[in-house]
Amino acid sequence: LNKSKSIVTSQTIPVPYITISDGDWDSPGTWLNGSDIVLPNSTGLDGSVVDWNIVEIGHDVSSGDRDIELLGLIQTSGTLTIADPTNTFPVENNAGQSLTITNYLELDGVIDLVGESQLVQTENSIIDVDSGGYIERDQQGTANGFNYNYWSSSVGPISGNTATRGTGVSSTNENYTIVDVINNGSDSDNYVALNFDASPSGGTIPPPGLARTVSSYWLYKFYGTASDYYSWVSIDETSSLLPGEGFTMKGTSGSVAISDLQNYVFKGLPNNGDITLELDNTSGEVNRLIGNPYPSAIDATEFILDNLSV
């Protein structure tokens, strides 16, 4: 018997963490060697939450009752559902959770931001240009067909390739069209495309299961002298809009109460990084209708204070 030799159990290191089955984020069965490792974004030995994990997801995973912060996320397939586990009706009233990526995101699957859930991409993080997946983001506006909503899209077109892996090149924020990114989210879990009609009518609520109709007659953007009504420019659902460029759109349900809400689902590649819209004031002071171009909230007060100098 050679006593200089011994048998040891296998040693594993999660770089990156890799899913092996559908499940909840905090379930060991979701992760490769999950019973032998500390799960991603868990509390470290010093008592603080580890926020520098790299994760590869290829299955359907739910966030559970937690906010998730990662250094990098590579999602090859499947759906990552970010939602508070407390169910609500309708589902878009879900209180939500957050997903924060501080360095790198390759999105070849789906990130479903349920209700008030948000995707936060911190400064200097990138989303890979080769990403062929998308996020789904709930947003509500008045359903009244005779009152304006003021919108901006948090997503752009889906243009990458899900069959190849990214190369670390940052995606640019592409122009979008309304018809390509906004969907009827009356049933958020089973959203469908919107119909568009050039009639100025406010429309009526269609029977259950049929698409809602938006009047393209009332789609406008604004860039010009504030007192000049002709600075409003008529567009339609196929017009190309810049990231962050705002537009008007009336509701889908005729003369219902202003407080009645219509849920929409924005579907596309999330905008990220610096977004700039020019203000050409060579001929005098001009205004421009803009909106939040990101799938996370912006503090309006801070936004104004940060830009007082310009």
Side-chain angles (χ1 to χ4, degrees):
L1 178 64
N2 187 344
K3 296 184 178 180
S4 65
K5 297 181 180 180
S6 61
I7 299 174
V8 298
T9 58
S10 60
Q11 304 296 304
T12 62
I13 178 172
V15 182
Y17 285 90
I18 299 174
T19 61
I20 57 171
S21 69
D22 299 345
D24 293 333
W25 187 278
D26 288 324
S27 171
T30 303
W31 305 98
L32 179 66
N33 299 314
S35 59
D36 300 321
I37 59 176
V38 177
L39 298 183
N41 200 216
S42 297
T43 302
L45 296 177
D46 63 355
S48 62
V49 175
V50 177
D51 56 9
W52 40 265
N53 294 139
I54 300 173
V55 169
E56 182 177 313
I57 290 178
H59 299 83
D60 294 338
V61 178
S62 298
S63 63
D65 191 14
R66 55 144 58 235
D67 295 323
I68 297 171
E69 183 170 354
L70 303 170
L71 179 71
L73 172 61
I74 302 168
Q75 188 174 359
T76 58
S77 62
T79 298
L80 174 57
T81 301
I82 308 297
D84 188 284
T86 302
N87 293 324
T88 61
F89 182 81
V91 68
E92 59 266 20
N93 288 344
N94 187 278
Q97 306 286 165
S98 67
L99 171 65
T100 300
I101 308 295
T102 59
N103 189 271
Y104 178 79
L105 171 62
E106 181 182 356
L107 179 55
D108 287 324
V110 179
I111 296 176
D112 185 6
L113 300 172
V114 179
E116 297 302 313
S117 295
Q118 302 184 49
L119 169 64
V120 180
Q121 301 167 97
T122 60
E123 189 173 6
N124 298 321
S125 69
I126 71 167
I127 178 169
D128 202 294
V129 69
D130 192 54
S131 295
Y134 55 88
I135 66 170
E136 299 169 344
R137 177 82 166 95
D138 287 314
Q139 193 69 51
Q140 298 83 46
T142 179
N144 187 286
F146 302 97
N147 280 268
Y148 284 116
N149 295 280
Y150 296 88
W151 293 110
S152 177
S153 178
S154 57
V155 300
I158 306 164
S159 56
N161 186 349
T162 59
T164 59
R165 300 284 72 84
T167 58
V169 177
S170 179
S171 174
T172 55
N173 301 306
E174 301 292 337
N175 291 7
Y176 68 95
T177 64
I178 296 171
V179 68
D180 284 338
V181 300
I182 305 180
N183 297 272
N184 169 23
S186 298
D187 180 354
S188 182
D189 290 329
N190 301 283
Y191 60 87
V192 295
L194 286 163
N195 288 332
F196 292 88
D197 192 302
S199 168
S201 169
T204 57
I205 302 176
L210 297 183
R212 299 291 173 100
T213 298
V214 170
S215 171
S216 57
Y217 185 92
W218 302 110
L219 298 176
Y220 284 88
K221 62 181 182 178
F222 186 96
Y223 180 27
T225 306
S227 59
D228 184 0
Y229 183 81
Y230 292 98
S231 293
W232 288 100
V233 177
S234 178
I235 60 174
D236 64 27
E237 66 274 15
T238 63
S239 298
S240 180
L241 294 170
L242 297 167
E245 190 168 26
F247 62 92
T248 64
M249 187 175 83
K250 291 190 175 182
T252 60
S253 302
S255 56
V256 298
I258 301 295
S259 57
D260 286 2
L261 297 179
Q262 168 68 49
N263 187 62
Y264 301 93
V265 175
F266 286 74
K267 173 185 175 181
L269 196 67
N271 293 322
N272 185 31
D274 292 339
I275 291 176
T276 302
L277 292 172
E278 68 174 7
L279 283 177
D280 183 2
N281 60 356
T282 55
S283 58
E285 187 172 340
V286 297
N287 289 344
R288 188 164 200 166
L289 181 61
I290 65 173
N292 179 6
Y294 306 110
S296 55
I298 286 180
D299 186 312
T301 301
E302 285 298 321
F303 178 81
I304 293 170
L305 292 175
D306 288 347
N307 291 279
L308 282 179
S309 63
V310 293

